[in-house]
Amino acid sequence: MGTIKFVCYQMTGKGTFILSLATCLLLMAGASAQTARSDYDFYVLSLTWTGSVCRHTESCPHRKDTSHRFNIHGFWPSQTSFPRRSPQCRSTPLDLEKFPAELRDELDVHWNGLFNATDRFLSHEWSKHGSCWKPYKPQHRTPINQAPRDIRHGPMVRPIPRVNDETLSRQYFEKALEITKSLNVSKMLESQNITPSGKPYEASLLRQAIAKGMKVRHVILICNSAESKSFLKEVRICLGLNYHPIDCPEGFMAQDRCGEKRSIIY
């Protein structure tokens, strides 16, 4: 029986070097681990209710639009296996000045920094979460050898377009705005006669109203306390890779601390 040999090369400015199998395997394992840490299989859209946060629990000195709305806190690629830990992204810088003025204005309204300057907050969100985003990520993890024959071998196979960081970051923020507008949490609550009137509602009623509008079993509510009262702080919605609402992974549900019978002000 013949011997199988593995050869690994490293290109440098001074030439090509043959690496040992052990070194090869270490490099491959490191690359694989890095990919696993930055990969994800669902999204979280986190929306802050300014009606409570800015009025009762914290000030919002950087907000120009004083009407109460669900302001985007984040659009986060997430991992089912580590639901409480963010993937390790590339931390690439964000240059908002290169965004169209119309997009910057829209972000200042719908993704305002609230407690920090908006450009600073968006830079943080892009660096920690957005730079992991893959706009052409497959919606289903089907091995290619199990895919339909026309997809494996036919003209439907197309190379994934390469985009630079400037284009990628702009598309990321545009996608988050698009999703937030299409879901319209305020309208879902209003359809169940839940309005921001300052009166308390059972947390379960808010949760059920939003889940019904999303066509899922549950969503996550985050509450704040002030003046011996509980206020709605955030709504967190889990999305599949196709950007449609899904039930959040079980490990992620621990973030919901509003309870079922707790009365909260919306």
Side-chain angles (χ1 to χ4, degrees), residues 174-232:
E174 288 174 341
K175 175 58 72 174
L177 288 168
E178 174 192 329
I179 296 168
T180 302
K181 292 176 183 178
S182 68
L183 293 178
N184 199 338
V185 173
S186 295
K187 191 172 182 178
M188 293 177 187
L189 290 170
E190 187 179 348
S191 70
Q192 300 300 311
N193 298 315
I194 299 174
T195 58
S197 57
K199 71 176 185 179
Y201 295 93
E202 274 192 8
S204 59
L205 294 179
L206 275 75
R207 199 179 285 108
Q208 289 166 12
I210 300 171
K212 181 178 180 180
M214 303 282 175
K215 295 182 172 59
V216 297
R217 289 177 296 175
H218 49 68
V219 294
I220 293 171
L221 302 184
I222 309 294
C223 295
N224 259 2
S225 296
E227 305 167 2
S228 301
K229 298 176 182 177
S230 293
F231 298 88
L232 176 66

Side-chain angles (χ1 to χ4, degrees), residues 88-109:
Q88 295 183 12
C89 300
R90 295 177 297 135
S91 299
T92 55
L94 176 70
D95 188 355
L96 282 171
E97 291 301 316
K98 293 184 178 180
F99 283 14
E102 184 179 354
L103 176 58
R104 294 202 306 270
D105 291 342
E106 199 169 6
L107 288 169
D108 205 28
V109 173

